[in-house]
Amino acid sequence: KILDLKPGTRIVSHAFTMDDWRADETVSSQDNASYSRTAYLWIVPAKVEGTWKTTQGEITFKQTFQMLSGSVKNGGSTVAIETGRGVLQLVVERTGPHSSRVRVDMGEPILESAKIPTTLAGERVVDVPLALLGVPFSGDWNSKVQLDPRATCVSMGNPHVVIYCRDVAGVPLESVGPLLENAPVFPKRINVHFVQIHSGGEVTMRTWERGTGITLACGTGASAVCVAGVLSGRSGRRILAHLPGGDLELQWAENGHVYMTGPAVEVFSG
């Protein structure tokens, strides 16, 4: 098993799906009387304004279940993951001896500008002009990818900015990503997502993650993209998101919660 949910278990992991599981990130697990199986994960991610932030943004879907898939025995099992924002409920259905399909309740998005946080004006930041971000989009790439000159901001416990274009593969994420991450209008920096809409129910996205760089997947980012699509009228409440590391199904349900579903595969044991 990759992780047994027992008191005192400690591991250091560098998972395939996300680069922000660096060798200095320690995950621990212990029992809790309130839940039949609760994993407590303390993770040391990027430093933000002198403090170490831990939210479900650092406990993303595929990373967690590359560890937990070996601990879930029966289909339909429920696992609770405690994060800095609260306890996340995950329903796990085994699809094979070393694989599962998992549905994660990511909670409700935070849409108030001050709580995201951003200094951009307005109660919500939906389709604001890119010029207000204070970042120069120089070069001819923006016309080649047919960049939409508007942005939408969402927090899923960590901040995200979503920008749309017609050709997401052509975005020079390595250069524009850090400029947007560190834009003055984002006092705690921000995760950056460029999104290509295929239809109301299908998108492709690429991510520059705050404090990390280009990553193969981002669970809270995919959730934010789902919410941003609804707020801006570009996509529906259910979408299939294609990420470099794999596909995720997202739903912003009528109860206000975002649900994320996708595969989890055990990648090694020993």
Side-chain angles (χ1 to χ4, degrees), residues 62-269:
K62 291 183 178 180
Q63 296 167 309
T64 301
F65 276 90
Q66 283 175 339
M67 294 186 297
L68 297 186
S69 61
S71 299
V72 178
K73 298 299 184 184
N74 301 314
S77 298
T78 299
V79 178
I81 304 292
E82 180 158 326
T83 76
R85 193 186 177 195
V87 176
L88 301 184
Q89 299 292 334
L90 306 96
V91 178
V92 185
E93 179 184 357
R94 293 306 296 267
T95 56
H98 302 286
S99 62
S100 302
R101 178 175 170 82
V102 188
R103 184 174 189 258
V104 186
D105 182 350
M106 299 294 286
E108 296 186 52
I110 298 167
L111 305 177
E112 296 89 342
S113 300
K115 294 181 179 179
I116 288 174
T118 175
T119 59
L120 291 166
E123 183 178 349
R124 293 183 176 183
V125 178
V126 179
D127 274 349
V128 299
L130 285 180
L132 296 181
L133 304 186
V135 173
F137 289 87
S138 57
D140 60 356
W141 67 268
N142 50 357
S143 60
K144 288 181 179 179
V145 304
Q146 298 184 54
L147 187 71
D148 189 319
R150 296 169 291 178
T152 296
C153 295
V154 176
S155 172
M156 293 299 303
N158 54 354
H160 302 269
V161 59
V162 179
I163 301 171
Y164 294 89
C165 64
R166 292 289 184 90
D167 179 17
V168 72
V171 176
L173 203 52
E174 67 283 353
S175 58
V176 71
L179 294 176
L180 287 164
E181 175 193 352
N182 294 285
V185 294
F186 304 124
K188 294 187 177 181
R189 297 186 288 151
I190 203 159
N191 300 290
V192 181
H193 311 282
F194 284 88
V195 181
Q196 180 177 342
I197 298 287
H198 303 293
S199 69
E202 185 178 10
V203 306
T204 296
M205 58 180 285
R206 294 178 62 209
T207 293
W208 175 275
E209 198 152 337
R210 177 181 63 167
T212 300
I214 297 174
T215 55
L216 298 179
C218 181
T220 52
S223 301
V225 166
C226 179
V227 173
V230 175
L231 293 177
S232 64
R234 292 179 175 86
S235 53
R237 301 187 78 92
R238 288 179 178 267
I239 62 170
L240 173 65
H242 303 293
L243 300 88
D247 293 347
L248 290 173
E249 300 170 24
L250 291 308
Q251 178 191 10
W252 189 14
E254 296 299 333
N255 65 1
H257 287 229
V258 179
Y259 296 91
M260 180 173 61
T261 304
V265 179
E266 183 177 328
V267 294
F268 70 89
S269 63

Side-chain angles (χ1 to χ4, degrees), residues 41-74:
L41 290 89
W42 290 274
I43 302 177
V44 182
K47 197 172 185 180
V48 180
E49 288 197 336
T51 63
W52 297 101
K53 300 290 288 183
T54 301
T55 71
Q56 80 259 43
E58 283 75 48
I59 304 173
T60 55
F61 171 70
K62 291 183 178 180
Q63 296 167 309
T64 301
F65 276 90
Q66 283 175 339
M67 294 186 297
L68 297 186
S69 61
S71 299
V72 178
K73 298 299 184 184
N74 301 314

